[in-house]
Structure formats: C-alpha cells, structure tokens
Short mmCIF file of all heavy atoms in Angstrom, two decimals:
data_model
loop_
_atom_site.label_atom_id
_atom_site.label_comp_id
_atom_site.label_asym_id
_atom_site.label_seq_id
_atom_site.Cartn_x
_atom_site.Cartn_y
_atom_site.Cartn_z
N GLY A 14 -7.45 9.47 10.61
CA GLY A 14 -7.43 8.18 11.29
C GLY A 14 -6.87 7.04 10.46
O GLY A 14 -7.06 5.87 10.79
N LEU A 15 -6.15 7.37 9.38
CA LEU A 15 -5.54 6.34 8.53
C LEU A 15 -4.07 6.14 8.92
O LEU A 15 -3.38 7.08 9.31
CB LEU A 15 -5.63 6.73 7.06
CG LEU A 15 -7.01 7.08 6.50
CD1 LEU A 15 -6.91 7.37 5.00
CD2 LEU A 15 -8.00 5.96 6.76
N GLU A 16 -3.61 4.90 8.82
CA GLU A 16 -2.20 4.60 9.09
C GLU A 16 -1.36 5.40 8.10
O GLU A 16 -1.55 5.33 6.89
CB GLU A 16 -1.95 3.11 8.95
CG GLU A 16 -0.73 2.62 9.70
CD GLU A 16 -0.88 2.71 11.21
OE1 GLU A 16 -2.01 2.64 11.73
OE2 GLU A 16 0.17 2.86 11.87
N ASP A 17 -0.40 6.19 8.59
CA ASP A 17 0.25 7.22 7.80
C ASP A 17 1.51 6.71 7.09
O ASP A 17 2.62 6.75 7.63
CB ASP A 17 0.60 8.41 8.69
CG ASP A 17 1.07 9.62 7.89
OD1 ASP A 17 1.15 9.51 6.65
OD2 ASP A 17 1.32 10.66 8.51
N PHE A 18 1.32 6.23 5.87
CA PHE A 18 2.44 5.84 5.01
C PHE A 18 2.60 6.78 3.83
O PHE A 18 3.17 6.41 2.79
CB PHE A 18 2.25 4.39 4.51
CG PHE A 18 2.61 3.35 5.54
CD1 PHE A 18 1.64 2.87 6.42
CD2 PHE A 18 3.90 2.87 5.63
CE1 PHE A 18 1.96 1.92 7.37
CE2 PHE A 18 4.23 1.91 6.58
CZ PHE A 18 3.25 1.43 7.45
N ARG A 19 2.14 8.00 3.97
CA ARG A 19 2.25 8.97 2.88
C ARG A 19 3.72 9.22 2.54
O ARG A 19 4.53 9.46 3.41
CB ARG A 19 1.57 10.27 3.27
CG ARG A 19 0.05 10.17 3.43
CD ARG A 19 -0.54 11.47 3.96
NE ARG A 19 -0.03 11.74 5.31
CZ ARG A 19 -0.26 12.89 5.96
NH1 ARG A 19 -0.97 13.86 5.37
NH2 ARG A 19 0.22 13.06 7.18
N GLY A 20 4.03 9.12 1.24
CA GLY A 20 5.38 9.40 0.78
C GLY A 20 6.38 8.28 0.91
O GLY A 20 7.55 8.44 0.55
N VAL A 21 5.97 7.12 1.39
CA VAL A 21 6.90 6.01 1.58
C VAL A 21 7.36 5.44 0.25
O VAL A 21 6.67 5.55 -0.77
CB VAL A 21 6.23 4.90 2.43
CG1 VAL A 21 5.16 4.16 1.63
CG2 VAL A 21 7.27 3.91 2.96
N VAL A 22 8.53 4.82 0.25
CA VAL A 22 9.02 4.08 -0.92
C VAL A 22 8.79 2.61 -0.65
O VAL A 22 9.27 2.06 0.35
CB VAL A 22 10.53 4.33 -1.16
CG1 VAL A 22 11.03 3.46 -2.31
CG2 VAL A 22 10.78 5.79 -1.46
N LEU A 23 8.03 1.94 -1.52
CA LEU A 23 7.76 0.52 -1.35
C LEU A 23 8.48 -0.30 -2.42
O LEU A 23 8.31 -0.06 -3.62
CB LEU A 23 6.25 0.24 -1.44
CG LEU A 23 5.39 0.76 -0.27
CD1 LEU A 23 3.94 0.38 -0.50
CD2 LEU A 23 5.89 0.21 1.06
N THR A 24 9.28 -1.25 -1.96
CA THR A 24 9.93 -2.20 -2.87
C THR A 24 9.22 -3.54 -2.85
O THR A 24 9.52 -4.41 -3.66
CB THR A 24 11.41 -2.38 -2.49
OG1 THR A 24 11.48 -2.85 -1.12
CG2 THR A 24 12.18 -1.08 -2.61
N GLU A 25 8.30 -3.70 -1.89
CA GLU A 25 7.55 -4.95 -1.75
C GLU A 25 6.14 -4.79 -2.30
O GLU A 25 5.49 -3.77 -2.11
CB GLU A 25 7.46 -5.36 -0.27
CG GLU A 25 8.79 -5.68 0.37
CD GLU A 25 9.40 -6.97 -0.18
OE1 GLU A 25 8.63 -7.85 -0.61
OE2 GLU A 25 10.64 -7.08 -0.13
N THR A 26 5.65 -5.83 -2.97
CA THR A 26 4.29 -5.85 -3.50
C THR A 26 3.28 -6.08 -2.38
O THR A 26 3.51 -6.90 -1.49
CB THR A 26 4.15 -6.95 -4.57
OG1 THR A 26 4.87 -6.55 -5.74
CG2 THR A 26 2.69 -7.17 -4.94
N ILE A 27 2.17 -5.34 -2.43
CA ILE A 27 1.05 -5.60 -1.53
C ILE A 27 0.22 -6.69 -2.20
O ILE A 27 -0.51 -6.44 -3.16
CB ILE A 27 0.23 -4.33 -1.29
CG1 ILE A 27 1.10 -3.27 -0.62
CG2 ILE A 27 -1.01 -4.63 -0.45
CD1 ILE A 27 0.43 -1.91 -0.47
N GLN A 28 0.34 -7.92 -1.71
CA GLN A 28 -0.26 -9.07 -2.40
C GLN A 28 -0.88 -10.04 -1.39
O GLN A 28 -0.30 -10.33 -0.34
CB GLN A 28 0.80 -9.81 -3.22
CG GLN A 28 0.24 -10.92 -4.09
CD GLN A 28 1.32 -11.58 -4.93
OE1 GLN A 28 2.44 -11.78 -4.47
NE2 GLN A 28 0.98 -11.89 -6.16
N TYR A 29 -2.10 -10.53 -1.74
CA TYR A 29 -2.83 -11.48 -0.89
C TYR A 29 -3.02 -10.94 0.53
O TYR A 29 -2.91 -11.66 1.51
CB TYR A 29 -2.13 -12.83 -0.83
CG TYR A 29 -1.99 -13.49 -2.18
CD1 TYR A 29 -0.74 -13.79 -2.71
CD2 TYR A 29 -3.11 -13.84 -2.93
CE1 TYR A 29 -0.61 -14.40 -3.95
CE2 TYR A 29 -2.99 -14.45 -4.17
CZ TYR A 29 -1.74 -14.72 -4.68
OH TYR A 29 -1.61 -15.31 -5.91
N LEU A 30 -3.30 -9.63 0.61
CA LEU A 30 -3.53 -9.00 1.91
C LEU A 30 -4.91 -8.36 1.97
O LEU A 30 -5.45 -7.94 0.95
CB LEU A 30 -2.48 -7.92 2.18
CG LEU A 30 -1.07 -8.39 2.57
CD1 LEU A 30 -0.15 -7.17 2.70
CD2 LEU A 30 -1.09 -9.16 3.87
N THR A 31 -5.45 -8.27 3.17
CA THR A 31 -6.64 -7.46 3.43
C THR A 31 -6.16 -6.23 4.16
O THR A 31 -5.62 -6.31 5.27
CB THR A 31 -7.67 -8.23 4.27
OG1 THR A 31 -8.12 -9.38 3.52
CG2 THR A 31 -8.86 -7.36 4.60
N VAL A 32 -6.32 -5.06 3.52
CA VAL A 32 -5.76 -3.81 4.04
C VAL A 32 -6.89 -2.82 4.28
O VAL A 32 -7.73 -2.59 3.40
CB VAL A 32 -4.73 -3.21 3.07
CG1 VAL A 32 -4.11 -1.95 3.65
CG2 VAL A 32 -3.65 -4.23 2.73
N GLN A 33 -6.91 -2.22 5.45
CA GLN A 33 -7.93 -1.24 5.79
C GLN A 33 -7.30 -0.01 6.43
O GLN A 33 -6.32 -0.11 7.17
CB GLN A 33 -8.95 -1.83 6.77
CG GLN A 33 -9.73 -3.02 6.21
CD GLN A 33 -10.74 -3.57 7.21
OE1 GLN A 33 -10.68 -3.27 8.39
NE2 GLN A 33 -11.66 -4.39 6.75
N GLN A 34 -7.87 1.15 6.13
CA GLN A 34 -7.51 2.40 6.81
C GLN A 34 -6.02 2.73 6.71
O GLN A 34 -5.37 3.00 7.71
CB GLN A 34 -7.91 2.31 8.29
CG GLN A 34 -9.39 2.03 8.55
CD GLN A 34 -10.28 3.24 8.34
OE1 GLN A 34 -11.09 3.27 7.44
NE2 GLN A 34 -10.12 4.25 9.17
N VAL A 35 -5.50 2.71 5.49
CA VAL A 35 -4.09 3.05 5.27
C VAL A 35 -3.99 4.18 4.24
O VAL A 35 -4.68 4.15 3.21
CB VAL A 35 -3.29 1.84 4.78
CG1 VAL A 35 -1.85 2.23 4.43
CG2 VAL A 35 -3.28 0.75 5.84
N ASP A 36 -3.17 5.18 4.53
CA ASP A 36 -2.95 6.28 3.59
C ASP A 36 -1.58 6.14 2.95
O ASP A 36 -0.55 6.27 3.60
CB ASP A 36 -3.03 7.63 4.33
CG ASP A 36 -3.14 8.81 3.36
OD1 ASP A 36 -2.73 8.66 2.19
OD2 ASP A 36 -3.62 9.87 3.78
N LEU A 37 -1.59 5.82 1.66
CA LEU A 37 -0.36 5.67 0.89
C LEU A 37 -0.23 6.78 -0.16
O LEU A 37 0.41 6.60 -1.20
CB LEU A 37 -0.35 4.30 0.21
CG LEU A 37 0.01 3.12 1.12
CD1 LEU A 37 -0.55 1.82 0.58
CD2 LEU A 37 1.51 3.00 1.30
N SER A 38 -0.82 7.92 0.10
CA SER A 38 -0.71 9.04 -0.82
C SER A 38 0.76 9.37 -1.11
O SER A 38 1.60 9.36 -0.20
CB SER A 38 -1.38 10.28 -0.22
OG SER A 38 -2.76 10.09 -0.05
N TYR A 39 1.03 9.60 -2.37
CA TYR A 39 2.38 9.95 -2.86
C TYR A 39 3.42 8.87 -2.60
O TYR A 39 4.63 9.11 -2.69
CB TYR A 39 2.86 11.28 -2.24
CG TYR A 39 1.86 12.38 -2.40
CD1 TYR A 39 1.24 12.97 -1.29
CD2 TYR A 39 1.48 12.83 -3.67
CE1 TYR A 39 0.28 13.97 -1.44
CE2 TYR A 39 0.52 13.82 -3.82
CZ TYR A 39 -0.06 14.39 -2.71
OH TYR A 39 -1.00 15.37 -2.86
N ALA A 40 2.97 7.67 -2.27
CA ALA A 40 3.91 6.56 -2.13
C ALA A 40 4.54 6.25 -3.48
O ALA A 40 3.90 6.43 -4.53
CB ALA A 40 3.20 5.32 -1.59
N ARG A 41 5.77 5.78 -3.44
CA ARG A 41 6.46 5.42 -4.68
C ARG A 41 6.66 3.90 -4.70
O ARG A 41 7.34 3.36 -3.84
CB ARG A 41 7.80 6.15 -4.76
CG ARG A 41 7.64 7.65 -5.00
CD ARG A 41 8.94 8.38 -4.77
NE ARG A 41 9.30 8.41 -3.34
CZ ARG A 41 10.49 8.77 -2.89
NH1 ARG A 41 11.45 9.12 -3.72
NH2 ARG A 41 10.73 8.77 -1.58
N PHE A 42 6.04 3.27 -5.68
CA PHE A 42 6.17 1.83 -5.88
C PHE A 42 7.33 1.61 -6.84
O PHE A 42 7.24 1.97 -8.01
CB PHE A 42 4.88 1.24 -6.43
CG PHE A 42 3.74 1.20 -5.44
CD1 PHE A 42 3.09 2.38 -5.06
CD2 PHE A 42 3.33 0.01 -4.87
CE1 PHE A 42 2.04 2.36 -4.14
CE2 PHE A 42 2.30 -0.03 -3.95
CZ PHE A 42 1.66 1.14 -3.59
N VAL A 43 8.43 1.06 -6.35
CA VAL A 43 9.63 0.91 -7.17
C VAL A 43 9.96 -0.56 -7.36
O VAL A 43 9.37 -1.45 -6.74
CB VAL A 43 10.82 1.67 -6.54
CG1 VAL A 43 10.53 3.15 -6.44
CG2 VAL A 43 11.17 1.10 -5.18
N GLU A 44 10.94 -0.80 -8.22
CA GLU A 44 11.32 -2.16 -8.60
C GLU A 44 10.09 -2.91 -9.09
O GLU A 44 9.45 -2.46 -10.03
CB GLU A 44 12.04 -2.86 -7.43
CG GLU A 44 13.32 -2.15 -7.01
CD GLU A 44 13.99 -2.77 -5.81
OE1 GLU A 44 13.62 -3.88 -5.41
OE2 GLU A 44 14.91 -2.12 -5.25
N THR A 45 9.71 -4.01 -8.48
CA THR A 45 8.57 -4.78 -8.97
C THR A 45 7.32 -4.61 -8.09
O THR A 45 6.35 -5.36 -8.22
CB THR A 45 8.91 -6.28 -9.04
OG1 THR A 45 9.28 -6.74 -7.73
CG2 THR A 45 10.06 -6.52 -10.01
N ALA A 46 7.31 -3.64 -7.21
CA ALA A 46 6.20 -3.44 -6.27
C ALA A 46 4.91 -3.06 -7.00
O ALA A 46 4.92 -2.22 -7.91
CB ALA A 46 6.55 -2.37 -5.25
N THR A 47 3.79 -3.69 -6.60
CA THR A 47 2.49 -3.40 -7.18
C THR A 47 1.41 -3.54 -6.11
O THR A 47 1.68 -3.90 -4.97
CB THR A 47 2.15 -4.40 -8.32
OG1 THR A 47 2.04 -5.72 -7.77
CG2 THR A 47 3.19 -4.40 -9.41
N LEU A 48 0.16 -3.27 -6.53
CA LEU A 48 -1.02 -3.58 -5.70
C LEU A 48 -1.67 -4.78 -6.36
O LEU A 48 -2.41 -4.64 -7.33
CB LEU A 48 -2.00 -2.40 -5.70
CG LEU A 48 -1.64 -1.16 -4.90
CD1 LEU A 48 -2.66 -0.07 -5.15
CD2 LEU A 48 -1.59 -1.49 -3.41
N ASN A 49 -1.43 -5.96 -5.84
CA ASN A 49 -1.78 -7.17 -6.58
C ASN A 49 -2.57 -8.16 -5.72
O ASN A 49 -2.11 -8.58 -4.66
CB ASN A 49 -0.49 -7.84 -7.10
CG ASN A 49 -0.76 -8.84 -8.20
OD1 ASN A 49 -1.89 -9.14 -8.51
ND2 ASN A 49 0.30 -9.35 -8.78
N THR A 50 -3.77 -8.50 -6.23
CA THR A 50 -4.58 -9.58 -5.62
C THR A 50 -4.81 -9.35 -4.13
O THR A 50 -4.59 -10.24 -3.30
CB THR A 50 -3.91 -10.95 -5.85
OG1 THR A 50 -3.29 -10.98 -7.12
CG2 THR A 50 -4.95 -12.06 -5.81
N SER A 51 -5.25 -8.15 -3.79
CA SER A 51 -5.54 -7.82 -2.39
C SER A 51 -6.91 -7.18 -2.27
O SER A 51 -7.50 -6.74 -3.25
CB SER A 51 -4.46 -6.86 -1.83
OG SER A 51 -3.22 -7.53 -1.70
N LYS A 52 -7.40 -7.11 -1.05
CA LYS A 52 -8.67 -6.46 -0.76
C LYS A 52 -8.38 -5.23 0.09
O LYS A 52 -7.87 -5.34 1.20
CB LYS A 52 -9.61 -7.42 -0.01
CG LYS A 52 -10.98 -6.83 0.25
CD LYS A 52 -11.90 -7.86 0.90
CE LYS A 52 -13.30 -7.30 1.13
NZ LYS A 52 -14.21 -8.32 1.72
N LEU A 53 -8.70 -4.06 -0.47
CA LEU A 53 -8.36 -2.81 0.20
C LEU A 53 -9.62 -1.99 0.45
O LEU A 53 -10.43 -1.78 -0.45
CB LEU A 53 -7.36 -2.01 -0.63
CG LEU A 53 -6.03 -2.76 -0.87
CD1 LEU A 53 -5.95 -3.30 -2.27
CD2 LEU A 53 -4.84 -1.88 -0.56
N THR A 54 -9.78 -1.52 1.68
CA THR A 54 -10.96 -0.77 2.09
C THR A 54 -10.54 0.51 2.82
O THR A 54 -9.65 0.47 3.67
CB THR A 54 -11.84 -1.63 3.03
OG1 THR A 54 -12.16 -2.87 2.40
CG2 THR A 54 -13.12 -0.89 3.37
N ASN A 55 -11.19 1.60 2.46
CA ASN A 55 -10.92 2.91 3.11
C ASN A 55 -9.43 3.26 3.08
O ASN A 55 -8.86 3.67 4.09
CB ASN A 55 -11.43 2.89 4.56
CG ASN A 55 -12.93 2.73 4.65
OD1 ASN A 55 -13.67 3.19 3.79
ND2 ASN A 55 -13.39 2.04 5.69
N CYS A 56 -8.84 3.10 1.92
CA CYS A 56 -7.42 3.43 1.75
C CYS A 56 -7.27 4.60 0.78
O CYS A 56 -8.12 4.86 -0.07
CB CYS A 56 -6.64 2.22 1.23
SG CYS A 56 -6.53 0.86 2.42
#
C-alpha cells in the first residue's frame, strides 16, 4: 500500500515536506538530491 517509487532516479531534494506511505527502495539520489529537513512516516 505504499506509493511505488522503487528504483526511481531523483535529482530533486526531498526538503520541507511531510511524506507518508512512500516506497523509495533502491532509489538513486543523484546530483545534489538528499533527504533534508522533512518529516517522513511509514516510508
């Protein structure tokens, strides 16, 4: 039941977001993308 972003390539930073129920398994964070200053639940 998680939003399916498995394997995605992210060039954008996840920042100042509230994120719930997302699957980012095997995602590739490239360039300057990070997990920064966000609230993440059940991810």
Side-chain angles (χ1 to χ4, degrees):
L15 306 183
E16 203 67 29
D17 190 358
F18 281 90
R19 294 174 296 172
V21 71
V22 176
L23 290 181
T24 58
E25 296 290 333
T26 289
I27 298 174
Q28 187 178 39
Y29 299 119
L30 284 176
T31 297
V32 183
Q33 297 180 346
Q34 302 284 113
V35 174
D36 193 338
L37 283 156
S38 296
Y39 309 115
R41 289 167 290 168
F42 289 73
V43 299
E44 299 176 13
T45 59
T47 64
L48 287 174
N49 197 353
T50 324
S51 290
K52 183 176 182 179
L53 299 105
T54 305
N55 296 327
C56 293

